[in-house]
Amino acid sequence: MLDWKIGDVNGDGVLDTVYLYGNVDGSPGIFADNITLVIRDGRSTKRTTVHFKNNAGYNARLFLGDFNKDSVPDIMVSIDTGGSGGYGIFYIYSFRNNSLHELFNVDDYNGKYAFQANFEDFYKVRVESPRLNVLFTIDISNKGHDYLSEYYNDNGLLKNPVQGGVLALGALYPIITNNKSYNFDLVALQRIIGPTNADTLGYVENLLTWKDTQLISNRLSLSIPSTN
């Protein structure tokens, strides 16, 4: 057992137990595969098992909170993939009335929120998504001479085309943005890099809020690290 939580996830007024199981070679904090979600109905003791497409990683954990505004806690599964990319695996399920419904899928998210990052003349990086019709521009003129001279001539023009990247979803944080309710929104983070993975230029931040039948982007923005 990797993690467990107690909450009334089916909304019948009786506490249920939610488990994460997986195969581990060593302590549970180490890598696990075949990670599986099991929901035990507190009233009937019936168990429901949920399998994931992406079911291997580190630090598998559970969070219970109401994301779809139906006053019943939903089930959030988070798994770290490890490695230098820092990717995350995330699923969110509603189990109201003992009916499993997927609210969030990491693969669907990564497919929808895909971005390109390209260096431009005069020390700019263009971060864009034609599908979403959004554009951000990062000013990298403060990166220092050694960094900039690798890609730019003295007149600020690129020596050659330079491509960066926006990585897949790396973090997904439940937050409460309305103190008058106990509903959770989500903040999704994707790291923006230069030509190398170690070159972090900023983050795409997406505030996701439930509306009608799905999580929608309530605010899509870009953040950059501070400099001296």
Side-chain angles (χ1 to χ4, degrees), residues 12-28:
D12 67 354
V14 179
L15 292 177
D16 312 301
T17 309
V18 184
Y19 304 92
L20 270 185
Y21 290 103
N23 298 329
V24 298
D25 184 12
S27 67

Side-chain angles (χ1 to χ4, degrees), residues 10 21 23 33 36 40 48 50 66 80 97-98 135 199 213:
N10 62 6
Y21 290 103
N23 298 329
D33 60 11
T36 305
R40 182 181 180 274
T48 300
V50 183
D66 182 13
D80 301 327
N97 297 326
N98 294 310
L135 168 67
D199 182 16
T213 61

Side-chain angles (χ1 to χ4, degrees), residues 122-153:
F122 307 114
Y123 318 117
K124 307 292 184 184
V125 177
R126 182 185 180 97
V127 180
E128 61 184 326
S129 170
R131 174 179 177 177
L132 300 174
N133 193 30
V134 295
L135 168 67
F136 304 101
T137 302
I138 303 176
D139 183 346
I140 59 169
S141 60
N142 58 0
K143 294 285 278 185
H145 179 267
D146 291 344
Y147 179 95
L148 297 175
S149 62
E150 185 175 354
Y151 309 116
Y152 291 91
N153 294 312

Side-chain angles (χ1 to χ4, degrees), residues 53-121:
K53 176 183 176 182
N54 305 296
N55 62 1
Y58 299 84
N59 193 29
R61 55 204 181 274
L62 290 166
F63 177 86
L64 303 185
D66 182 13
F67 295 98
N68 62 357
K69 301 181 180 180
D70 65 355
S71 300
V72 177
D74 305 306
I75 303 166
M76 178 176 179
V77 178
S78 304
I79 307 168
D80 301 327
T81 61
S84 58
Y87 304 122
I89 299 169
F90 305 97
Y91 299 99
I92 301 177
Y93 299 97
S94 166
F95 196 62
R96 184 176 183 177
N97 297 326
N98 294 310
S99 177
L100 189 73
H101 178 62
E102 187 177 76
L103 307 182
F104 184 92
N105 181 300
V106 65
D107 290 331
D108 293 343
Y109 183 90
N110 287 332
K112 182 177 181 179
Y113 293 96
F115 298 86
Q116 304 166 3
N118 294 286
F119 282 50
E120 293 190 324
D121 292 335

